[in-house]
Amino acid sequence: MQFKNSIIALSISAAIFPTSAVAQDSDIEVITVTASRMDKPVSAIPNTVTIIDQEQLNEQLRTTQDLSTIIGNLAPSFSPSRQKMSNTGETLRGRTPLIMIDGVPQSNPLRSGGRSGQTIDPAMIERIEIIHGANAMHGLGAQGGIINYITKKPSGDNEHHVSFDVTVPNSLDSDGISFGTSYSFSGESENLDMIGAVSYRNNGVYYDANDEMIGVDTTQGESMDSQSMDFFIKLGHDFDQSRLELMVNHYNMENNGDYMAVKGDKENDIPTGAIKQDQPWDAANNQVTTTSLTYTHEDIAGQQLSLQFFNQNFEAVYGGGCWSDFYDPSMEGSDQVTVCGTGENGESLYYEQSRNKSVKWGMKASMMASNIADSGMSIAYGLDIFRDTTEQDMVMSGVSWVPESTYDNIAPFAQIDYDLIENLTLSGGVRYEYAKLNVDDYKTMYGYGNKYVEGGNPDFNETLFNIGASYKITPALRVYTSFSQGFGMPDVGRVLRDGDNFQGPNPSIEDTLALDPIVTDNIEFGADYQGEYFSSKIAYYRSSSDYGARMVDKGDGSGSFVIKREKSLIEGIEASVTAYIGDNDDVGVNLAIQNGEYDSNDDQKVDTDLDGANISPNRINLFWNHNFDNDISTRIQANFYMDKDFKDENNNVYANFDGYTTVDASIAIPVYDGTLSIGIQNLLNEDYYTYYSQTVGKDTRYFKGMGRTATIGFSLPF
């Protein structure tokens, strides 16, 4: 693959447009990135970093509560939101990111399921840290980068905060009204500080630009016609030089199950629709509890200690269907199932759905010594221990689809920063990953080969490296480069449940290469500038994997994907410029361009474009913020998604994306001691199909995007 924008062109652009790691205010130096494991300032990290702070998050929440949409608005190399409960196909720089809450992994390495984006309400978040590109500092699953949701902290004062918001569609139909509310309190005593919050959200149905109801995804999960609740609490105690903190977040999202899909016709441009009809199965839902106990000490033999124990309990129920893949002759005539049709061979088909259950336990321990003996050298070292036990079963019949699998991982690491000369910082690190998978003997489902597979305990080990350099040409202008590796597993559940992955008379999980780890190499060159009148950034990256994992739709209408293991290569450019016009106006542009290919014929040469389930579109984001002297603030933003053709090894177009443009506008007005906000999403009422629907969707998932909506919100601290 030849990427048109070469490193030479990048260097010229960097010279013409000095750039910034994050388009933020001039206090960028004091912002530290906890996801770096060394609490580094942004300007010391040799990677592209995006920090979405509380002010930016609040601006976005005026128009949408969807975290995927918010991240895409501010970090355009992230895929457009599917506007569904599922986030399958939402990638960062074309690869899956590791999503965390306060450093606790939300992604499910054994069986992804596409629900890691629905584990916390935005009302609980203080800021979002995004490290772009493969990263080994948190180990498993960060091939595309890290998205770390940092939860709110106690304010130090006894304070309460309430918020309300209502969203109405352009049609003003009552069934399309959504509303939400949250309440939080914060305070401290002599021995304890705490913050707690609860939120509730009720989503109506969604309408497109033609005031037609958007189709429902009754299988992977639907966010419209749903309810969500979140309970959050954080307790802390400060000792003389240390702190102990407990965080618990429980999130529950449930579809109401009141609508069924009406099949579309992609070839004839007929979108998937919806009708009011009870679903004949349990509606899709997500239930996630994240717990973290963290102890930090500022001075142990001159070093800083960070010790975190965490747990996540995750359960996702997916919607149902009447598919031959789920047929099992042993269930013929059983009162456990409901017959819904007849198969090709006269067999009785029945409604079925799956449930994914995962329990994670882990520990992260690290020590950091800064500026050792005034040498300019800092070192962080530690050990991560992780266990994930996952199973996917069928709700109606109780049959196991993915056998219970336990993944154990232990990873020591060390990271060094060295100020070699003034303004030049070199960094390097190594992480050793040892992983073991434990699966008992099992049988694949009847529709997935009906094969007996011998279990086992395959183990894997990888040594990952990263090296980087950051040089400040001036206090405002920096250039950097880095090489880093990411480690991950393919979706183990998809591999185990598919009988085609196990060949021969006595198949065993020990024999399949489909379970081998994914190692991603990421090279990056960039520059950033943070000045009084403008800030900007530009970065070129190249991400490659000799044995990657590509998701491919099974094509049976169930929404199931299989995993293909192939060589892959992704290249891209990210850039942004923000101009500070006077004291009241910020005007900016963000750009993300990427190309990705995979090896379709196993000749170790990439030759076919990655599709929309694996790579995001090229796009430009524009924005204008204005602050009035009376504390009223406004924001207008536009997202331009560019057309794209996807070509195979013979240069034939196998899929295409018809780009579109959406515009959002919002205003925040001080009212008494609170803030009244009004936001309009898709201001121009653009009529479009979502990116995922156009590039991957079938007739049953050919969804329009949301039309114009208006949101009115009010928040009040007291």
Side-chain angles (χ1 to χ4, degrees), residues 469-524:
S470 175
Y471 180 65
K472 288 185 178 181
I473 300 174
T474 70
L477 175 62
R478 177 181 75 116
V479 293
Y480 63 87
T481 184
S482 66
F483 167 79
S484 57
Q485 293 182 301
F487 172 83
M489 294 289 293
D491 191 321
V492 172
R494 295 186 194 274
V495 174
L496 295 180
R497 74 188 191 187
D498 187 357
D500 290 342
N501 291 316
F502 303 95
Q503 302 299 322
N506 298 299
S508 168
I509 69 166
E510 301 273 3
D511 301 330
T512 178
L513 294 176
L515 288 173
D516 284 1
I518 305 165
V519 176
T520 305
D521 295 334
N522 190 82
I523 299 172
E524 184 166 343

Side-chain angles (χ1 to χ4, degrees), residues 126 152-160 185-190 192-195 234 236 238 243:
E126 179 179 277
K152 291 182 175 178
K153 297 177 174 59
S155 63
D157 300 319
N158 293 323
E159 184 179 83
H160 302 261
F185 63 91
S186 176
E188 65 177 12
S189 64
E190 183 177 350
L192 185 71
D193 58 64
M194 68 182 301
I195 182 171
K234 182 181 287 185
D238 289 318
R243 177 173 175 81

Side-chain angles (χ1 to χ4, degrees), residues 274-289:
I275 57 172
K276 191 170 180 59
Q277 179 182 328
D278 290 342
Q279 297 174 15
W281 47 71
D282 294 341
N285 62 72
N286 245 27
Q287 295 188 59
V288 189
T289 302

Side-chain angles (χ1 to χ4, degrees), residues 211-431:
D211 296 335
E212 297 291 336
M213 190 180 299
I214 293 173
V216 295
D217 191 333
T218 56
T219 306
Q220 290 189 342
E222 182 57 64
S223 57
M224 78 178 200
D225 184 41
S226 70
Q227 302 176 69
S228 65
M229 292 172 285
D230 200 328
F231 168 81
F232 167 77
I233 190 166
K234 182 181 287 185
L235 306 173
H237 175 71
D238 289 318
F239 301 91
D240 288 341
Q241 291 184 295
S242 60
R243 177 173 175 81
L244 183 65
E245 187 174 88
L246 172 69
M247 184 275 291
V248 179
N249 188 76
H250 177 73
Y251 179 81
N252 182 25
M253 184 177 193
E254 296 185 359
N255 186 262
N256 294 323
D258 297 332
Y259 292 85
M260 289 289 288
V262 177
K263 187 176 180 180
D265 187 338
K266 191 170 184 178
E267 184 176 351
N268 293 302
D269 197 31
I270 300 174
T272 305
I275 57 172
K276 191 170 180 59
Q277 179 182 328
D278 290 342
Q279 297 174 15
W281 47 71
D282 294 341
N285 62 72
N286 245 27
Q287 295 188 59
V288 189
T289 302
T290 302
T291 306
S292 170
L293 180 65
T294 305
Y295 177 75
T296 56
H297 198 292
E298 294 301 315
D299 188 2
I300 297 181
Q303 303 179 65
Q304 294 173 284
L305 167 70
S306 176
L307 183 62
Q308 181 185 47
F309 298 92
F310 63 83
N311 166 254
Q312 190 217 39
N313 277 276
F314 175 95
E315 181 174 308
V317 173
Y318 299 87
C322 188
W323 300 300
S324 58
D325 273 9
F326 289 164
Y327 171 74
D328 189 327
S330 67
M331 300 304 298
E332 285 276 6
S334 171
D335 57 5
Q336 289 181 253
V337 297
T338 302
V339 175
C340 57
T342 305
E344 294 180 356
N345 299 316
E347 70 275 19
S348 298
L349 302 182
Y350 49 83
Y351 291 121
E352 189 56 283
Q353 62 187 129
S354 72
R355 171 176 49 211
N356 194 29
K357 295 177 287 186
S358 174
V359 178
K360 303 181 186 67
W361 295 92
M363 181 201 75
K364 294 180 178 181
S366 61
M367 297 285 289
M368 185 176 71
S370 301
N371 194 21
I372 301 172
D374 291 325
S375 65
M377 180 178 294
S378 300
I379 182 170
Y381 57 96
L383 179 70
D384 293 346
I385 299 174
F386 178 74
R387 165 169 281 195
D388 185 334
T389 301
T390 293
E391 180 183 15
Q392 187 173 16
D393 63 355
M394 310 309 292
V395 174
M396 308 295 183
S397 65
V399 173
S400 177
W401 193 8
V402 176
E404 182 175 282
S405 312
T406 299
Y407 175 89
D408 289 312
N409 177 245
I410 183 168
F413 69 91
Q415 183 76 20
I416 296 175
D417 279 6
Y418 181 37
D419 296 330
L420 181 63
I421 59 174
E422 186 177 3
N423 297 326
L424 174 62
T425 300
L426 303 179
S427 62
V430 61
R431 181 183 179 97

Side-chain angles (χ1 to χ4, degrees), residues 643-655:
D643 294 350
K644 185 176 179 65
D645 289 334
F646 299 86
K647 298 181 179 180
D648 62 20
E649 70 275 17
N650 297 316
N651 210 36
N652 296 320
V653 176
Y654 72 86

Side-chain angles (χ1 to χ4, degrees), residues 529-534 580:
Y529 174 83
Q530 182 71 48
E532 181 180 357
Y533 300 107
F534 73 97
Y580 311 122

Side-chain angles (χ1 to χ4, degrees), residues 19 33-34 54 65 69 80 140 183 219 228 233 334 344 361 363 431 447 488 496-497 513 615 622 693 698 704 712:
T19 56
V33 182
T34 60
Q54 186 71 70
Q65 296 288 321
T69 297
L140 188 70
Y183 163 74
T219 306
S228 65
I233 190 166
S334 171
E344 294 180 356
W361 295 92
M363 181 201 75
R431 181 183 179 97
L496 295 180
R497 74 188 191 187
L513 294 176
I615 198 167
L622 302 176
S693 296
K698 309 298 182 184
K704 284 285 188 77
I712 300 176

